Amino acid sequence: MSTGDDPILAPLNAGQRAAVLHGDGPALVVAGAGSGKTRVLSHRIAYLLAHLNISPFGLLAITFTNKAAGEMRERIGSLVGPVAQRMWISTFHSACARILRSHADVLGYPATFSIYDQADSRRLTRYVVRDLDLDPKRYNERAVHAAISTMKNQLRTPTHAAELADSPDGGGPFNRDVARVYSEYQKRMRRAGAMDFDDLLMLGVELLTTHGDVAEHYRQRFSHILVDEYQDTNLAQVRLIGLLSGPAQNVFVVGDSDQSIYAFRGADISNILEFGATFDRASTYVLEQNYRSSQAILDTANSVIRNNLGRPPKNLWTDQSGGAKPIRYRGTNEEDEARYVCSELRRLHGEGRIDWSDAAIFYRSNAQSRVIEEELVANDVPYQIIGGTRFYDRREIKDALAFLRAAVNPSDEVSLKRVVNLPARGIGDRTIAKLDDVAARGDTSIAEVIDGLESLGVRGTARGGLLQFRELMGRARAQIPNGPAAVLEVALAESGYVQALQDEGTVEADGRLEHLEELAGAAADFEDCDEFLEQVSLVSDVDAMTDASQVSLMTLHSAKGLEFDIVLVTGMEDGVFPHHRSMTDPIELEEERRLAYVGITRARKQLYLTHAWSRLLHGQTSYNPPSRFIEEIPPELIDDRSPDTGRYGSSWRPATSDWGANRGAGVRSDSGTGPASEYSQLDEAELAASPQQRADPARHDDSTSKGRESRREEARRRVAARLGEPKPAPKADLGYGVGDDVLHARFGAGVVQEVRPDGDDWEVTVHFADIGTKTLVASFADLRRLRSSGPAQTH
DNA sequence: GAGCACTGGAGCAAA
DNA sequence: TCCAGTGCTC
């Protein structure tokens, strides 16, 4: 076939083209990071439409986020024109929601079923635990709901779960109780006409398994199924693909086992590794040329990921040789790290080398974003946060949506309970409990109990409140034909919710009112309430991302599938990343490593890996060694810009090699701290300073001007005001305290973790670079303080 | 009995 | 930070 000027085939390399031209039957495209897998997917679709004349209605394309779906639709549109608008391109969850809306009745759900997010699901879990008289401490909703979620992802029904829990090796009473909660939870979900995220998949499978006619309908319809990010599918999703694909098995999947990072929500990496076993006669195409990153970045990525065992060999290469080495920086603490990140961004921007939108800052968990945010605010760097507390997680937004859901689906227990006393109208816990009780006995919903209120022994304020609420919801419901904006308007205005916020008159309340207006604006774009609710329930974090000129902040998980010129991965410390909960399990640790690989491979031109000597997280200061993932990168691949490089190594080990060789002698003179022998000298001036001053990291920075200094100080102050001033480390009478670097004659350098009084003496716990943590008696140990935690002093 | 203010505990990633 | 639980007041 001549491909010379075909816009669909011409831009592809040989490997990509082979995949796009794949014939019938299942195909797996193993696509390394940056190898153009989205391109293959969209060109494959364009090829099916334009060259093979497949109907756009015959295609089902699954992407990982709605944003990715929109982008793919656009790309296909540019290749084949407006037919792209009519294709099913969506996430698994959206596709299932759509199918289930049409057939919910056969499963005993209303077509207007509510979709519960995690918070709603946990709330219901809590109700169930309480109602089953289980100890809410032992059976905390978080853990119990996570267990239920896992079972659902493995397509385990409540009956199945109960049988398993009863079997001899079923895990004892705890699992039996969890199985009970699961069963009751599922009953309540059905009674509430609600599905959680896992239900969308599990009930989708159930629908297609138990109703052959429905399955046949979709099999007839979809001649081709295409799936992106296949390495992150779970059992339910693979089953869905199997059920939706007819005997032809035209299943075309794309993925990279090295980027599988969602095991915690049921994703199973073996789905991609054993694709051939699930779908016979599968063809495999391998894409190894990376078009995104420089050689320096790829080398870094490869040096990390090769530490994972049992991965299929892969040889990612690029013809963009060279490139800037990844930069490593170790901050004094998390604020110093944030300052560095911010100052680098300002420098690059100031030199005209980047637009703000070219850069992204990644972190392992959302809690890490705040410090960085403060610093960006203080320095007028525009940014957007992806994820974290999403717009739709805000209280007032959840309240408003609960009003809407309760109007659309009166059975919805969680939503109704949320708004029944909003704003306060005298309906307290006792009244709710009474309604609950009546509902449970009659196996009906609370809404129906309220409908029959007159026959109940509820009187006084509660009775009045319930009558008022019933009337309110009646009026709201009457607006459903007029669309979600109308329902929200009536519910929020006539309930007095808006009035209550206005009366409050605080800045915070004003903010909430603004959010509600924003929500009303979004709702006005929809005519159908269900459609609107589904939309807002299934938006992903990255869906909200804009391409405005802003630096993007997000978790490493959210970063999957994105790319930036400049990527800064922060918090590269053992215990933070890899997360401490993952460090003891080799399987989980490998997943963390894949997450590191994902982060690194997002960068096109310049990668930064930063970490901090000490970190205040969750109200606790910890001293984490540099991430093992950093240590896995050969030193010669990295440009270490840590202020005290060469002191005793990049980590807690004494420097054994001249790994700063690429920067030559500049390493030391840059830091401006003099030769190594001085490091062990006690700094009298510093000892004399107050703990407060000593704890002040701003002083440690030796490269800043006065102006920036004061801005930093300002930012630091505000952070401190919000967190409560960090407690200065107790100095005992030892000349060193928690957080200080100390030297032991035999054990070498270490960091003091804890100091406890021990009679007349002190017991000191020290983490040593070479031998790990030891607890010593101070008078025998003869520890000598090296310096305070942090780079050298400037005065 | 309902509603408020305060305290204490826990905290990973997300459709 | 957020959340739930608790004690106090009306």
Side-chain angles (χ1 to χ4, degrees):
Chain A
M1 183 186 298
S2 158
T3 59
D5 47 5
D6 182 329
I8 295 174
L9 298 174
L12 305 174
N13 70 25
Q16 294 169 338
R17 189 174 305 145
V20 167
L21 290 172
H22 170 75
D24 283 335
L28 165 66
V29 181
V30 176
S35 64
K37 75 188 161 65
T38 315
R39 161 178 279 212
V40 164
L41 216 41
S42 40
H43 284 244
R44 166 74 177 172
I45 291 169
Y47 170 76
L48 292 173
L49 294 171
H51 287 235
L52 302 188
N53 289 319
I54 307 290
S55 158
F57 300 114
L59 298 180
L60 172 62
I62 302 291
T63 55
F64 203 69
T65 62
N66 293 304
K67 182 171 190 278
E71 286 169 0
M72 181 168 299
R73 196 184 296 281
E74 222 167 275
R75 285 175 90 144
I76 297 167
S78 73
L79 291 168
V80 298
V83 289
Q85 292 309 317
R86 297 186 289 171
M87 291 183 44
W88 271 45
I89 309 179
S90 70
T91 63
F92 271 109
H93 289 87
S94 296
C96 284
R98 192 162 165 186
I99 291 173
L100 286 165
R101 287 263 177 240
S102 311
H103 308 278
D105 54 324
V106 306
L107 294 178
Y109 285 81
T112 56
F113 63 82
S114 304
I115 297 173
Y116 280 3
D117 66 12
Q118 184 169 262
D120 300 323
S121 304
R122 284 184 184 161
R123 201 179 276 243
L124 184 65
T125 306
R126 192 170 71 240
Y127 295 157
V128 170
V129 166
R130 189 181 294 165
D131 295 346
L132 290 178
D133 283 328
L134 295 168
D135 174 10
K137 288 228 159 47
R138 182 160 154 72
Y139 296 87
N140 111 331
E141 74 238 32
R142 214 186 169 83
V144 173
H145 179 253
I148 293 174
S149 173
T150 303
M151 291 191 274
K152 288 184 172 184
N153 284 320
Q154 292 165 352
L155 297 174
R156 205 176 291 164
T157 61
T159 322
H160 194 170
E163 284 168 9
L164 219 63
D166 280 334
S167 68
D169 51 351
F174 184 83
N175 285 354
R176 219 166 297 148
D177 283 331
V178 169
R180 275 173 64 212
V181 176
Y182 178 20
S183 170
E184 176 64 17
Y185 172 91
Q186 214 52 12
K187 233 180 264 171
R188 295 269 281 268
M189 289 291 278
R190 193 175 294 250
R191 197 189 297 156
M195 299 187 192
D196 61 26
F197 288 139
D198 306 310
D199 281 336
L200 293 174
L201 304 177
M202 185 176 76
L203 295 176
V205 170
E206 186 185 325
L207 173 72
L208 297 175
T209 313
T210 56
H211 293 79
D213 51 328
V214 177
E216 196 47 39
H217 166 79
Y218 287 102
R219 281 198 284 266
Q220 292 288 329
R221 171 175 180 152
F222 296 125
S223 62
H224 289 77
I225 298 176
L226 303 99
V227 186
D228 195 6
E229 308 282 8
Y230 191 77
Q231 76 280 0
D232 280 319
T233 52
N234 62 30
L235 175 64
Q237 291 165 332
V238 171
R239 197 61 63 76
L240 276 167
I241 297 167
L243 287 163
L244 287 170
S245 63
Q249 296 217 310
N250 287 323
V251 176
F252 187 92
V253 309
V254 182
D256 175 7
S257 53
D258 287 334
Q259 295 184 60
S260 172
I261 55 171
Y262 278 99
F264 70 90
R265 72 180 207 214
D268 185 351
I269 194 171
S270 59
N271 288 340
I272 189 166
L273 296 176
E274 290 155 25
F275 182 78
T278 318
F279 298 91
D280 336 319
R281 305 176 289 117
S283 312
T284 301
Y285 302 89
V286 181
L287 306 181
E288 291 186 314
Q289 183 176 2
N290 174 297
Y291 292 93
R292 179 185 300 151
S293 310
S294 68
Q295 187 68 52
I297 290 166
L298 273 192
D299 288 346
T300 303
N302 285 331
S303 67
V304 173
I305 196 66
R306 72 159 165 254
N307 293 285
N308 273 5
L309 305 170
R311 56 187 277 273
K314 200 178 296 171
N315 180 32
L316 213 51
W317 61 278
T318 174
D319 53 17
Q320 308 172 45
S321 62
K325 284 185 186 181
I327 293 170
R328 171 184 183 166
Y329 178 87
R330 193 199 73 192
T332 316
N333 52 30
E334 76 284 358
E335 294 176 1
D336 185 39
E337 179 190 38
R339 272 194 298 276
Y340 176 75
V341 163
C342 187
S343 69
E344 278 300 284
L345 288 173
R346 283 178 60 92
R347 182 176 66 78
L348 291 166
H349 186 261
E351 291 168 2
R353 290 164 63 185
I354 60 163
D355 184 82
W356 293 124
S357 60
D358 295 330
I361 303 169
F362 300 157
Y363 33 80
R364 177 61 174 80
S365 63
N366 285 304
Q368 291 165 242
S369 72
R370 204 181 55 242
V371 184
I372 301 169
E373 235 182 306
E374 295 282 349
E375 189 62 24
L376 295 176
V377 169
N379 288 285
D380 299 322
V381 175
Y383 67 92
Q384 59 179 329
I385 292 218
I386 315 299
T389 336
R390 303 145 62 213
F391 178 71
Y392 291 103
D393 285 339
R394 291 174 192 280
R395 190 178 60 186
E396 63 278 15
I397 300 301
K398 294 213 73 170
D399 289 344
L401 292 174
F403 270 119
L404 181 55
R405 290 204 306 212
V408 169
N409 173 18
S411 314
D412 184 335
E413 174 185 345
V414 170
S415 298
L416 188 135
K417 281 184 177 168
R418 185 178 184 110
V419 298
V420 71
N421 197 33
L422 220 66
R425 52 175 77 83
I427 302 163
D429 291 346
R430 291 202 75 106
T431 311
I432 303 275
K434 192 180 271 182
L435 298 175
D436 244 347
D437 191 44
V438 177
R441 271 186 284 145
D443 193 25
T444 171
S445 70
I446 295 180
E448 284 182 61
V449 175
I450 297 177
D451 278 343
L453 180 69
E454 281 75 7
S455 60
L456 252 58
V458 179
R459 49 195 98 254
T461 31
R463 182 189 173 91
L466 284 170
L467 287 172
Q468 210 186 332
F469 178 73
R470 191 169 77 185
E471 212 182 306
L472 168 73
M473 292 316 287
R475 282 197 301 276
R477 209 162 296 139
Q479 293 298 322
I480 290 175
N482 300 328
V487 179
L488 284 173
E489 163 72 26
V490 166
L492 294 175
E494 299 191 16
S495 65
Y497 191 91
V498 167
Q499 189 62 50
L501 282 175
Q502 283 167 348
D503 292 347
E504 219 177 290
T506 60
V507 183
E508 197 195 351
D510 287 347
R512 294 189 192 280
L513 287 166
E514 270 173 39
H515 295 145
L516 288 175
E517 267 168 41
E518 212 174 305
L519 181 72
D525 292 339
F526 289 79
E527 285 170 16
D528 183 53
C529 293
D530 294 330
E531 209 182 301
F532 174 65
L533 283 172
E534 185 173 310
Q535 175 78 25
V536 300
S537 304
L538 299 179
V539 286
S540 71
D541 287 339
V542 288
D543 292 344
M545 193 170 152
T546 75
D547 39 17
S549 182
Q550 296 172 320
V551 175
S552 295
L553 273 65
M554 69 189 84
T555 63
L556 286 145
H557 282 87
S558 292
K560 192 177 74 166
L562 305 175
E563 56 180 89
F564 301 87
D565 283 351
I566 312 292
V567 164
L568 304 105
V569 186
T570 63
M572 294 290 293
E573 293 145 39
D574 270 12
V576 176
F577 182 35
H579 192 270
H580 71 94
R581 304 263 305 252
S582 310
M583 282 169 53
T584 44
D585 179 345
I587 305 273
E588 286 183 37
L589 192 60
E590 292 215 338
E591 174 142 323
E592 296 281 306
R593 190 174 284 110
R594 290 193 292 271
L595 192 56
Y597 179 75
V598 167
I600 292 168
T601 54
R602 299 309 94 195
R604 294 195 199 103
K605 296 180 180 161
Q606 181 68 65
L607 174 70
Y608 288 82
L609 302 171
T610 66
H611 53 117
W613 187 271
S614 81
R615 180 174 301 274
L616 180 66
L617 201 60
H618 308 313
Q620 271 201 324
T621 303
S622 48
Y623 301 87
N624 304 308
S627 172
R628 59 195 65 198
F629 303 143
I630 288 194
E631 307 294 5
E632 286 166 2
I633 305 166
E636 65 272 15
L637 293 183
I638 292 235
D639 176 2
D640 193 305
R641 303 262 179 101
S642 303
D644 56 348
T645 289
R647 186 155 295 173
Y648 31 90
S650 57
S651 63
W652 309 37
R653 276 163 237 140
T656 48
S657 65
D658 63 339
W659 49 272
N662 56 305
R663 288 164 49 73
V667 174
R668 280 179 186 165
S669 53
D670 274 4
S671 66
T673 51
S677 60
E678 280 181 18
Y679 299 148
S680 56
Q681 289 179 0
L682 295 177
D683 183 331
E684 299 295 336
E686 195 197 347
L687 277 174
S690 76
Q692 216 74 13
Q693 282 173 294
R694 250 197 316 269
D696 184 353
R699 287 194 321 144
H700 298 318
D701 198 302
D702 50 6
S703 62
T704 50
S705 67
K706 274 266 159 58
R708 183 170 305 166
E709 194 72 60
S710 65
R711 275 202 303 278
R712 287 175 175 181
E713 177 56 29
E714 175 64 16
R716 192 199 68 82
R717 208 179 44 70
R718 286 188 298 117
V719 177
R722 286 172 66 170
L723 294 176
E725 199 67 37
K727 296 165 200 73
K731 284 283 167 177
D733 261 338
L734 297 166
Y736 52 79
V738 173
D740 285 340
D741 297 354
V742 289
L743 190 67
H744 186 275
R746 218 147 45 82
F747 301 148
V751 173
V752 178
Q753 310 260 302
E754 201 179 344
V755 178
R756 280 181 309 272
D758 177 24
D760 293 337
D761 212 323
W762 299 90
E763 211 176 81
V764 187
T765 306
V766 182
H767 185 96
F768 289 101
D770 292 320
I771 56 158
T773 305
K774 278 233 178 297
T775 298
L776 309 162
V777 178
S779 58
F780 290 101
D782 190 27
L783 292 163
R784 286 181 54 213
R785 176 159 168 281
L786 289 174
R787 56 188 189 91
S788 80
S789 55
Q793 307 305 299
T794 53
H795 51 93

